[in-house]
């Protein structure tokens, strides 16, 4: 049996589910029961009746699945699958930030630790951030954390004056505006689509701004168009599967790297072999201490209720 067949067999024997983010390598996406964006993945995690959740994504995503399923086993292929954005918001510093802004409603983007979620009123993802912010009464001041680029985008879209935490994603800040504009000059008939974690000058060039799932839906809804895609390059695999005849180019990164595009090194530490090993040994497991888990569950459930 090859590795993919072994994973399928083991998954059945152990009543496991494999949830994968669009940024995972293609062979992981191929064995997953569900491939999606952060919102879709938390919705799947909330409704699964599997005994084991194999989370092919990064740590905060697996942690969210564990918070939603405290009695299930949640494994991550590699514990080094972190997130620069989550790391840019240390819980102690964030606690002080919240204290310094009393009476503010705290909205955090799902890309943060369980400890930060425990200090939060309502969680959001890039799919539902506008809706969640708009659900808060207009006269209520808001803290938005940790992504300053998504925060700025929401302020611009809603006119809400939010206090922003100064965090960001290294991958989405790696796009080069100069190279992107040059690329667009070379391919003027391509439309730029971008993830809202990107910087404002990148977003200004975009015809469509949305989550990874939103970007895929936009491409599917415009079969005659060609696209320059400004998000982590792993998304191109699913986009191209959905739209085999659509021409897609990854947006160029500031530093030349092997593929001249932006790849998330954290997402890419997971491999098919590590996924098999973690399912076989049921390790490394994700655990969240009870008092944090209970507090963090409340804002996640609020988000899920508002996203139905
Ligand atoms: P979405 O999956 O919500 O689009 O977010 C992208 C991302 O950076 C996940 O880490
Ligand atoms: Fe975190 Fe950015 Fe990687 Fe997403 S792409 S997991 S936000 S570092």
């Amino acid at each position: 049996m090859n590795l993919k067949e072994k994973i399928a067999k083991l998954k059945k024997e152990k009543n496991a589910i494999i949830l994968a983010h669009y940024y995972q390598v293609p062979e992981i996406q191929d064995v997953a029961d569900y491939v999606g964006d952060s919102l879709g993945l938390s919705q799947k995690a909330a409704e699964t009746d599997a005994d084991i959740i194999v989370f092919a994504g990064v740590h905060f995503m697996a942690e969210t699945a564990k918070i939603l399923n405290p009695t299930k086993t949640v494994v991550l292929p590699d514990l080094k699958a972190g997130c620069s954005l989550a790391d840019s918001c240390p819980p102690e510093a964030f606690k002080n930030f919240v204290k310094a802004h009393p009476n503010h409603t705290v909205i955090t983007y799902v890309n943060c630790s369980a400890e930060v979620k425990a200090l939060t009123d309502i969680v959001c993802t890039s799919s539902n951030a506008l809706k969640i912010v708009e659900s808060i009464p207009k006269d209520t001041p808001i803290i938005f954390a940790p992504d300053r680029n998504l925060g700025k985008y929401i302020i611009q879209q809603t006119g809400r004056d939010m206090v922003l935490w100064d965090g960001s994603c290294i991958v989405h800040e790696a796009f080069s505006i100069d190279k992107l504009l040059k690329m667009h000059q070379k391919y003027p008939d391509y439309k730029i689509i971008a993830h809202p974690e990107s910087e404002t000058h990148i977003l200004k060039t975009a015809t469509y701004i949305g989550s990874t799932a939103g970007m895929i839906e936009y491409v599917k809804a415009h079969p005659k168009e060609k696209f320059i895609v400004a998000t982590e390059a792993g998304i191109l695999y699913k986009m191209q599967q959905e739209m085999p005849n659509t021409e897609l180019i990854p947006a160029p990164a500031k530093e030349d790297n092997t593929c001249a595009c932006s790849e998330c090194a954290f997402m890419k530490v997971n491999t098919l072999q590590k996924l098999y090993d973690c399912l076989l040994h049921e390790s490394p497991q994700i655990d969240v201490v009870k008092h944090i888990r209970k507090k963090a569950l409340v804002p996640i459930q609020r988000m899920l209720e508002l996203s139905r």
Side-chain angles (χ1 to χ4, degrees):
M1 273 197 285
N2 66 30
L3 206 47
K4 284 185 179 174
E5 289 163 346
K6 281 186 188 169
I7 290 169
K9 184 168 177 278
L10 205 52
K11 202 179 64 167
K12 219 171 171 187
E13 283 167 11
K14 295 196 176 210
N15 188 28
I17 187 172
I18 302 175
L19 303 179
H21 191 270
Y22 291 125
Y23 297 165
Q24 291 294 288
V25 290
E27 55 271 29
I28 288 185
Q29 294 192 36
D30 288 346
V31 298
D33 295 285
Y34 176 78
V35 185
D37 72 350
S38 306
L39 177 63
L41 289 165
S42 24
Q43 285 167 329
K44 283 283 167 206
E47 70 196 26
T48 184
D49 55 10
D51 296 317
I52 300 179
I53 300 173
V54 179
F55 215 112
V58 291
H59 192 272
F60 76 82
M61 296 177 173
E63 219 174 37
T64 304
K66 182 67 184 180
I67 293 165
L68 287 161
N69 295 285
T71 59
K72 293 189 199 301
T73 299
V74 178
V75 288
L76 182 68
D78 190 326
L79 283 181
K80 288 195 288 298
C83 170
S84 68
L85 180 51
D87 290 346
S88 70
C89 191
E92 261 317 297
F94 189 61
K95 194 175 178 180
N96 294 333
F97 187 75
V98 172
K99 256 193 204 152
H101 298 89
N103 307 319
H104 282 58
T105 291
V106 181
I107 303 181
T108 56
Y109 188 39
V110 70
N111 301 37
C112 63
S113 65
E115 288 83 356
V116 168
K117 288 187 179 79
L119 298 163
T120 294
D121 293 307
I122 182 159
V123 167
C124 72
T125 74
S126 49
S127 283
N128 57 24
L130 289 172
K131 189 175 173 186
I132 301 258
V133 168
E134 277 168 343
S135 76
I136 308 298
K138 283 208 159 50
D139 54 352
T140 306
I142 297 174
I143 288 176
F144 186 85
D147 191 51
R148 61 167 180 251
N149 293 320
L150 177 60
K152 281 183 203 164
Y153 172 67
I154 298 168
I155 290 173
Q156 183 248 320
Q157 290 292 304
T158 62
R160 292 295 291 254
D161 183 20
M162 305 192 298
V163 179
L164 302 182
W165 179 265
D166 193 15
S168 63
C169 157
I170 44 168
V171 177
H172 288 88
E173 290 212 330
F175 296 118
S176 158
I177 186 67
D178 296 338
K179 287 190 190 173
L180 179 63
L181 293 175
K182 270 192 199 131
M183 183 182 265
H184 204 212
Q185 267 170 8
K186 194 171 163 196
Y187 302 103
D189 51 341
Y190 280 60
K191 298 272 184 293
I192 298 172
I193 54 173
H195 194 280
E197 286 174 23
S198 311
E199 290 173 280
T200 308
H201 54 235
I202 301 287
L203 296 182
K204 276 188 182 156
T205 68
T207 308
Y208 174 79
I209 297 165
S211 73
T212 47
M215 291 167 88
I216 292 172
E217 286 312 308
Y218 189 82
V219 168
K220 281 166 71 179
H222 297 84
K224 292 202 173 83
E225 303 285 3
K226 307 170 195 184
F227 296 98
I228 298 173
V229 182
T231 191
E232 209 271 358
I235 198 177
L236 295 177
Y237 182 63
K238 178 59 87 184
M239 260 181 195
Q240 208 71 84
Q241 268 183 338
E242 297 278 354
M243 298 298 285
N245 299 319
T246 296
E247 287 179 45
L248 304 167
I249 316 178
K254 283 170 194 160
E255 301 298 329
D256 273 338
N257 56 25
T258 46
C259 70
C261 59
S262 286
E263 286 205 336
C264 175
F266 299 108
M267 287 278 182
K268 271 23 185 201
V269 296
N270 294 331
T271 62
L272 198 61
Q273 181 66 52
K274 288 180 195 173
L275 191 151
Y276 172 71
D277 291 343
C278 83
L279 177 57
L280 180 66
H281 302 298
E282 297 178 26
S283 169
Q285 286 193 20
I286 301 296
D287 215 356
V288 183
V289 288
K290 197 172 166 189
H291 72 282
I292 297 289
R293 176 168 49 74
K294 282 188 151 180
K295 282 188 190 161
L297 179 63
V298 178
I300 296 170
Q301 276 179 332
R302 280 193 189 126
M303 169 188 81
L304 292 175
E305 273 155 30
L306 268 172
S307 307
R308 271 187 228 280

